[in-house]
């Protein structure tokens, strides 16, 4: 019997419409096989570039309808979703530029050298090829930028991989609209519509990661869900790479000098960051280490004033709201924990932002306070008061891997070459994939130098899901040895007929523009 997939309004908890039905094992198999059949058509880089640019254009043309559906399903608001759609379109075009430039192929050519020592060297030519069908698991909190048309899908298509997306149940109608955009863009570029296929249902996601024709997977979501899929990917007869973004505390360290100089500014900035999007950003600062004493007290006072004025908000679904309320209650109930602004129930379907404080000494040993070192999804942060450098180091030693880590430094500290500030940044570098100074981690710029990832449980690999190098997740290297020129891929032939960046006999070869 078919299981219906409903679109639900989180503002009311009521079903809006039936969007689809959950995919059966047979339907998942058909979806993957259809996507796999599209793989040869994606070999032409110019076709992939047209696909990505066309998808960006169609996404913008359909923007009003997509934004309306996303707002109805997520309660994220039209302004936020308008910005997210623009970001998603930009990201698609950015990957088209990556494809056109060709540097991602990482072409290396070493011509034969019979006089090489200690042994003669054969002719070797290396570049990267697409893995095959990629499974993408859409995120709840970004229904566009990390969902059907988001970075995982865009980077996989850029690499030449067909995609099967498992829709997130929080926004199935939005997912259907976006899948339609991508499929129409594929046809317009001369590709099969099944270059992108959408499936719904929890069990469909399990079947997808186990399918023998799936060659890699990208996931954004919770630690339990991501770890289960990661384990399933590793347990296959032929394991596949699983690039999962799971969870992150995103610690912030405020030095004594920074608190002395601008405690009020830091407190207000923290309130804006941890409540942004109702605390549903993966980069929300969830643990803040602030000094004890008068300057730290000023910071907490400013944070209290700013957080007290933050509006109650709707979370993405009722399950997340329930988990937030339970998590907030458990944290505020711990002995010695205070809540200057109590996080919790803000009324029907909404939650109230807040924060708790605790002494660093309570976090230095395993026990009940370990809960404070776990991510709480929603508008809540933990302020840890430390009295010495040893207190600070002891807490940092207990932190898991993170997407980001932030240091707020004093003016003199920021200008020192070496010293305590440098040592702090070195310590934070071991904890996270992106280290910030005197800023806030919410917001991830789409740029070539970006890295959105980090040590486990932030991610399950060393790769990024944002920026041009995200394409590397869906490629593998192949070397051709002593291969006749006529049988070589064009990218590896002498003369560089396709004009891609290459390294030839140790020298970087830059094609004419």
């Amino acid at each position: 019997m078919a299981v219906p997939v409903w679109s639900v309004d989180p503002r009311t908890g009521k079903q809006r419409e039936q969007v689809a039905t959950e995919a059966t094992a047979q339907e998942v198999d058909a979806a993957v096989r259809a996507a796999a059949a599209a793989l040869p058509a994606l070999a032409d880089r110019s076709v992939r570039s047209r696909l990505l640019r066309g998808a960006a254009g169609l996404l913008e043309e359909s923007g009003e309808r997509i934004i309306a559906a996303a707002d109805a399903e997520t309660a994220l608001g039209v302004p936020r979703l308008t910005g997210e759609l623009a970001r998603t379109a930009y990201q698609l075009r950015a990957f088209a530029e990556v494809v056109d430039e060709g540097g991602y192929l990482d072409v290396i050519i070493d011509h034969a050298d019979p006089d090489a020592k200690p042994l003669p060297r054969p002719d070797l030519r290396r570049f990267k090829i697409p893995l095959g069908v990629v499974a993408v698991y859409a995120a709840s909190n970004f229904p566009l930028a990390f969902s059907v048309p988001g970075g995982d899908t865009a980077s996989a298509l850029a690499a030449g991989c067909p995609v099967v997306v498992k829709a997130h149940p929080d926004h199935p109608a939005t997912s259907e609209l976006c899948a339609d955009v991508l499929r129409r863009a594929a046809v317009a570029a001369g590709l099969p519509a099944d270059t992108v296929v959408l499936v719904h249902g929890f069990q469909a996601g399990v079947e997808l990661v186990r399918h023998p024709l799936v060659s890699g997977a990208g996931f954004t979501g919770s630690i339990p869900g991501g770890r289960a899929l990661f384990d399933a990917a590793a347990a296959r007869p032929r394991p596949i790479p699983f690039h999962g973004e799971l969870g992150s505390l995103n610690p912030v360290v405020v030095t004594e000098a920074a608190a002395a100089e601008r405690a009020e500014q830091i407190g207000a900035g923290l309130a804006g960051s941890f409540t942004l999007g109702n605390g549903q950003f993966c980069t929300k600062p969830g643990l803040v280490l602030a000094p004890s004493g008068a300057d730290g007290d000023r910071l907490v006072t400013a944070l209290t004033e700013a957080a007290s004025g933050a509006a109650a908000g709707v979370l993405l679904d009722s399950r997340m709201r329930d988990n937030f309320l339970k998590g907030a209650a458990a944290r505020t109930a711990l002995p010695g924990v205070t809540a200057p602004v109590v996080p919790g129930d803000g009324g029907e379907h909404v939650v109230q932002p807040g924060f708790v404080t605790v002494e660093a000494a309570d976090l230095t040993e395993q026990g009940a306070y370990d809960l404070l070192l776990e991510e709480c999804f929603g508008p809540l942060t933990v302020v840890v008061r430390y009295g010495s450098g040893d207190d600070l180091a002891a807490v940092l030693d207990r932190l898991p891997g993170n997407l980001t880590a932030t240091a707020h430094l004093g003016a003199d500290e920021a200008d020192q070459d070496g010293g305590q500030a440098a040592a702090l940044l070195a310590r934070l570098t071991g904890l996270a994939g992106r280290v910030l100074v005197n800023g806030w981690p919410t917001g991830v710029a789409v740029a070539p130098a970006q890295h959105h990832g980090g040590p486990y449980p932030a991610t399950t690999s060393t790769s990024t899901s944002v920026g041009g190098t995200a394409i590397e997740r869906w490629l593998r290297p192949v070397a051709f040895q002593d291969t006749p020129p006529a049988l070589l891929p064009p990218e590896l032939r002498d003369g560089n007929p396709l004009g891609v960046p290459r390294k030839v006999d140790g020298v970087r070869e830059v094609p004419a523009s």
Side-chain angles (χ1 to χ4, degrees):
M1 182 178 178
V3 178
V5 173
W6 291 91
S7 173
V8 177
D9 183 347
R11 294 182 175 96
T12 65
K14 295 180 179 178
Q15 293 177 340
R16 296 176 61 245
E17 60 177 331
Q18 181 181 340
V19 174
T21 58
E22 294 187 3
T24 64
Q26 293 77 16
E27 288 168 335
V28 171
D29 177 65
V32 174
R33 293 185 183 280
L39 179 63
L42 283 164
D44 189 330
R45 285 192 298 131
S46 65
V47 172
R48 302 204 300 273
S49 179
R50 288 201 304 273
L51 163 61
L52 293 163
R53 289 191 171 88
L58 288 175
L59 191 69
E60 291 168 334
E61 289 178 16
S62 305
E64 184 175 349
R65 187 180 178 197
I66 290 172
I67 290 168
D71 181 50
E73 292 186 310
T74 66
L76 289 173
V78 171
R80 146 71 195 274
L81 291 165
T82 299
E84 187 177 335
L85 187 138
R87 170 200 174 97
T88 306
Y90 174 84
Q91 190 166 240
L92 287 161
R93 293 190 175 101
F95 276 113
E97 293 178 3
V98 170
V99 173
D100 290 341
E101 189 265 344
Y104 74 94
L105 293 166
D106 196 19
V107 177
I108 302 173
I109 297 175
D110 290 321
H111 288 103
D113 183 356
D115 298 322
K117 304 298 181 183
L119 295 171
R121 186 180 69 207
D123 184 276
L124 291 166
R125 301 171 187 236
R126 178 187 188 273
F127 79 151
K128 292 180 179 178
I129 64 172
L131 290 179
V133 177
V134 167
V136 169
Y137 294 81
S140 62
N141 56 340
F142 284 86
L144 304 175
F146 284 83
S147 188
V148 176
D152 286 351
T153 299
S155 58
L157 293 174
C161 297
V163 175
V164 180
V165 184
K166 189 270 179 187
H168 197 280
D170 279 355
H171 44 81
T174 307
S175 298
E176 286 286 343
L177 291 174
C178 291
D180 177 67
V181 161
L182 294 175
R183 289 169 64 83
R184 286 191 287 126
V187 172
L191 293 164
D194 288 335
T195 297
V196 178
V197 186
L198 183 70
V199 296
H200 297 265
F202 173 85
Q203 189 58 36
V206 176
E207 298 289 345
L208 190 56
V209 79
R210 292 173 175 168
H211 197 286
L213 293 182
V214 169
S215 299
F219 171 91
T220 304
S222 69
I223 293 176
R227 183 55 193 254
L229 289 171
F230 172 81
D231 290 344
R236 293 168 37 133
R238 181 175 64 87
I240 59 171
F242 182 89
H243 300 282
E245 179 191 325
L246 310 189
S248 182
L249 271 177
N250 306 303
V252 177
V253 176
V254 182
T255 67
E256 293 181 5
E261 290 176 6
R262 57 185 195 282
E264 289 77 16
Q265 178 186 342
I266 294 171
L270 172 58
S273 186
F274 91 83
T275 63
L276 185 65
N278 294 323
Q280 297 174 116
F281 278 49
C282 51
T283 51
K284 179 198 75 175
L287 188 82
V288 182
L289 293 116
S292 301
D295 294 326
D297 291 344
R298 288 168 45 218
L299 188 157
V300 172
T301 298
L303 174 59
T304 301
E305 293 175 356
S308 297
V314 178
L315 297 189
L316 293 164
D317 62 37
S318 60
R319 177 182 55 83
M320 292 182 189
R321 180 177 183 273
D322 291 344
N323 287 340
F324 174 78
L325 295 179
K326 292 176 184 176
R331 286 163 174 79
T332 57
L334 290 170
V337 170
T338 62
V341 180
V342 180
D345 195 339
E348 189 175 11
H349 304 295
V350 300
V351 298
Q352 184 64 48
F355 72 98
V356 300
T357 67
V358 67
E359 295 300 318
D362 290 327
L363 295 180
T364 56
E365 295 182 3
Q366 291 185 345
Y369 292 91
D370 288 358
L371 179 64
L372 300 177
L373 301 180
E374 297 176 6
E375 179 184 15
C376 183
F377 191 78
L380 180 152
T381 195
V382 177
V383 177
V384 181
R385 306 297 298 273
Y386 67 91
S388 68
D390 289 342
D391 288 344
L392 174 60
V395 175
L396 293 178
D397 283 344
R398 298 209 58 219
L399 296 187
N402 295 272
L403 294 170
T404 73
T406 301
H408 280 271
L409 307 175
D412 290 341
E413 291 176 315
D415 291 336
Q416 291 178 359
D417 184 5
Q420 291 184 342
L424 174 60
L425 291 192
R427 183 70 185 86
L428 296 180
T429 299
L431 290 174
R434 180 163 57 107
V435 177
L436 298 86
V437 176
N438 295 344
W440 298 105
T442 36
V444 183
V446 179
Q450 184 60 270
H451 185 81
H452 189 62
Y456 186 86
T459 54
T460 60
S461 70
T462 59
S463 301
T464 179
S465 60
V466 178
T469 55
I471 194 174
E472 295 172 2
R473 297 175 295 170
W474 319 121
L475 299 164
R476 68 176 182 88
V478 175
F480 291 81
Q481 180 171 326
D482 293 333
T483 303
L487 301 181
L488 284 169
E491 294 87 351
L492 300 181
R493 294 177 184 175
D494 289 339
N496 199 1
L498 298 186
V500 298
R502 311 193 304 184
K503 189 174 183 180
V504 180
D505 296 330
V507 177
R508 184 66 60 184
E509 179 183 277
V510 181
S513 57

